[in-house]
Amino acid sequence: MAAKKTKEIKENLKQVLPSGARDASFFEQVFDVVRLIPKGRVSSYGAIAFFLGTKMSARMVGWAMNAAHGMKDVPAHRVVNRNGMLSGKMHFATPTRMEELLKKEKIKVENDQVIDFEKKFWDPAKELS
DNA sequence: ACAATGACGACTC
DNA sequence: GGAGTCGCCATTG
């Protein structure tokens, strides 16, 4: 059921984007930012939300990530919560997929948590200015 | 149209 | 310092 929903989201997003990016504008920005996250680095929902102007609405970033699953170019695995925890790993194809991907990028993950999160943290507002 | 939910965050107890 | 509560914004029921 959830998969079907994701598909619907993706299709809906695809339709909305080229038509008149107003509802998906937020999503588009999120995708762009996440896509710009360097390899071996991670970011947080709050940081992205802040960069987009809605710093208080990290939830929406998470929701955008859900839709981002349809976009393979969007490394959602590099986006974790402000605590550095892989809060969204359960939403991947497999719960271990996120951790595997992160480890693949030299990011240490232990107990669903990114090690040295502060060092790996990539702040869009800071890097992209 | 109203109420509830959510890959979060910050504040309060 | 750990746990609980409220707030935010958009989507879904």
Side-chain angles (χ1 to χ4, degrees):
Chain A
M1 306 197 225
K4 225 169 188 178
K5 273 190 179 180
T6 304
K7 193 176 180 182
E8 283 187 21
I9 291 165
K10 189 178 79 172
E11 293 213 337
N12 183 21
L13 188 64
K14 246 183 173 180
Q15 296 213 1
V16 175
L17 239 84
S19 286
R22 43 176 186 257
D23 293 322
S25 59
F26 185 82
F27 288 48
E28 189 184 338
Q29 306 246 11
V30 174
F31 299 152
D32 195 31
V33 174
V34 175
R35 226 171 291 167
L36 289 173
I37 299 176
K39 199 174 180 182
R41 287 281 188 79
V42 291
S43 189
S44 65
Y45 306 96
I48 296 169
F50 183 83
F51 177 71
L52 296 179
T54 55
K55 59 176 186 175
M56 288 302 220
S57 54
R59 285 183 142 92
M60 296 304 90
V61 179
W63 175 240
M65 291 286 95
N66 190 6
H69 256 291
M71 334 283 254
K72 47 199 168 183
D73 288 334
V74 181
H77 63 274
R78 291 184 193 151
V79 183
V80 295
N81 66 356
R82 123 142 186 55
N83 194 31
M85 190 160 84
L86 282 66
S87 46
K89 69 168 202 161
M90 39 169 21
H91 286 277
F92 278 75
T94 58
T96 54
R97 188 62 187 271
M98 191 174 184
E99 186 176 333
E100 290 293 319
L101 288 170
L102 288 174
K103 282 183 178 176
K104 210 173 180 181
E105 302 190 356
K106 313 295 189 251
I107 298 176
K108 298 174 187 173
V109 179
E110 188 172 309
N111 196 11
D112 300 337
Q113 198 172 311
V114 177
I115 307 300
D116 295 332
F117 175 64
E118 299 179 21
K119 285 164 68 177
K120 311 278 187 191
F121 182 70
W122 183 81
D123 190 347
K126 197 173 180 181
E127 300 291 333
L128 301 176
S129 298

